[in-house]
Amino acid sequence: FVFGPVWTLLYSLMGVSVSRIVKSATASSMVLKLWYFHYALNLIWAPIFFGYQKFRLGFVISMLLVVSLGSIMPLYHAIDPIAAYLQVPYLCWLIFATVLNYQFCKLNPMDESDGKNEAMRQAELCKDGKAVYNDVMLQNDLRGLQKDAARYAGL
């Protein structure tokens, strides 16, 4: 429920910020090209992370977003300080999202044997809205949980 209002605000601030830079007589094409690169990264992050569940690639993109925005902000500040300050909430959100993305990577390690993480396996269980998770799979998962619980209890 938080994402909709937050992204509405962030995109509004980004739009105002970029429009101030575009309207400035001192804006160079390099600054705008850097912004377009950054914005393209912004647009591809969600399909990579949520659609393809490529959490590590999403993390790399998220890091690139933070670095590129960190490069853009001083350039904006030299042209229009307000335009740079309008990017601060977005930078804070990107840092927060990058930390969350990192935690997803930690909690869903990639299995090198098949190149999938646990989230991808779970998604495959419910392809086309049809649950294919069966009783045998449940029993295997329960056995795994019992083994984990015994290990944690020192048994």
Side-chain angles (χ1 to χ4, degrees), residues 50-152:
F50 291 113
Y52 293 107
Q53 297 170 352
K54 300 287 186 182
F55 301 142
R56 287 183 177 156
L57 180 56
F59 178 68
V60 170
I61 293 169
S62 194
M63 291 292 294
L64 287 171
L65 283 165
V66 171
V67 169
S68 64
L69 187 60
S71 301
I72 290 167
M73 288 175 68
L75 299 172
Y76 275 22
H77 192 273
I79 297 166
D80 180 349
I82 293 173
Y85 297 138
L86 289 172
Q87 296 291 332
V88 170
Y90 176 45
L91 179 62
C92 293
W93 184 264
L94 284 178
I95 292 168
F96 171 69
T98 301
V99 170
L100 285 179
N101 197 153
Y102 174 74
Q103 293 302 320
F104 267 87
C105 291
K106 276 181 55 176
L107 294 172
N108 291 283
M110 188 68 65
D111 185 346
E112 301 302 326
S113 66
D114 64 0
K116 295 181 181 177
N117 58 42
E118 189 58 29
M120 294 166 98
R121 285 190 195 86
Q122 293 297 324
E124 286 178 354
L125 296 176
C126 296
K127 281 187 178 175
D128 302 323
K130 299 175 185 170
V132 293
Y133 192 75
N134 60 38
D135 190 52
V136 172
M137 296 166 101
L138 175 63
Q139 290 175 14
N140 285 335
D141 286 346
L142 288 174
R143 274 194 288 280
L145 289 171
Q146 289 170 338
K147 288 179 184 177
D148 289 344
R151 188 175 65 244
Y152 292 135

